[in-house]
Amino acid sequence: MSWTDERVERLKTLWAEGLSASQIAAELGSVTRNAVIGKVHRLGLSGRAKPQVQAARPAAAAAAAPRVKSPAPPRPVAPVAPVAARPAPRTISIGNVAVKAEEMPETRLVPAAPRVLEAEAIVFEKMTILNLTEQTCKWPIGDPGRPDFFFCGRKSDSGIPYCAYHARIAYQPSADRKARDKRQAG
DNA sequence: CCCTGATTCGC
DNA sequence: GCGAATCAGG
């Protein structure tokens, strides 16, 4: 695959939208982020409007993204294995306390503003599906199948599919679980 | 370790 | 022109 006019235009657009080189590489396919960066320099581009930083704050990043018109975003693919069986949490019980998803640390529900939803959906998909790795938290936020769905995305170490926060929820210590169950039972 | 863009230089 | 390797930084 080479830099056809079409792919160059796509590159310009995505770069202007603030996607990172690796995200653009994934979007275009058949190129590495190095190739993208090299091309960006040869084109004399450089310095995007709003750098997207990391994927850890999808709502904020998307809010900063330009509101571009775009075709309907492709449906997110079914989430990877560990996620599939787990419902998207709106509230989560920790002990006998229900925590709203909105209040979970460093997680955000996507604002419902329809006019920015299209741009957000694209960014989120890149940051969710394409950027999920062995060590990103796969706790789903929102409804899979909706364009504003995304994963928590924070770091998850040692082969655990969730970040430290969500791992605690997913894998409650037996003592805590027993205590909670006892309270609920009696 | 994860990621980012910048630069070099053999191809 | 291209992009892997490398560098420098968060």
Side-chain angles (χ1 to χ4, degrees), chain A residues 95 173-185:
Chain A
S174 58
D176 290 357
R177 194 172 62 240
K178 284 180 181 174
R180 183 202 59 194
D181 291 347
K182 189 173 184 179
R183 276 197 301 275
Q184 290 183 342

Side-chain angles (χ1 to χ4, degrees), chain A residues 134-149:
Chain A
E134 290 298 311
Q135 51 277 323
T136 54
C137 180
K138 297 174 188 63
W139 190 278
I141 307 293
D143 298 326
R146 279 184 53 111
D148 58 357
F149 171 79

Side-chain angles (χ1 to χ4, degrees), chain A residues 162-177:
Chain A
Y162 306 115
C163 66
Y165 180 85
H166 288 131
R168 250 182 285 130
I169 299 170
Y171 309 115
Q172 291 187 27
S174 58
D176 290 357
R177 194 172 62 240

Side-chain angles (χ1 to χ4, degrees), chain A residues 1 3-4 12 45 50 59 65 68 92 143 145 173 179-181 186:
Chain A
M1 193 71 72
W3 286 110
T4 61
K12 287 179 180 176
L45 306 177
K50 294 286 172 82
V68 296
I92 296 169
D143 298 326
R180 183 202 59 194
D181 291 347

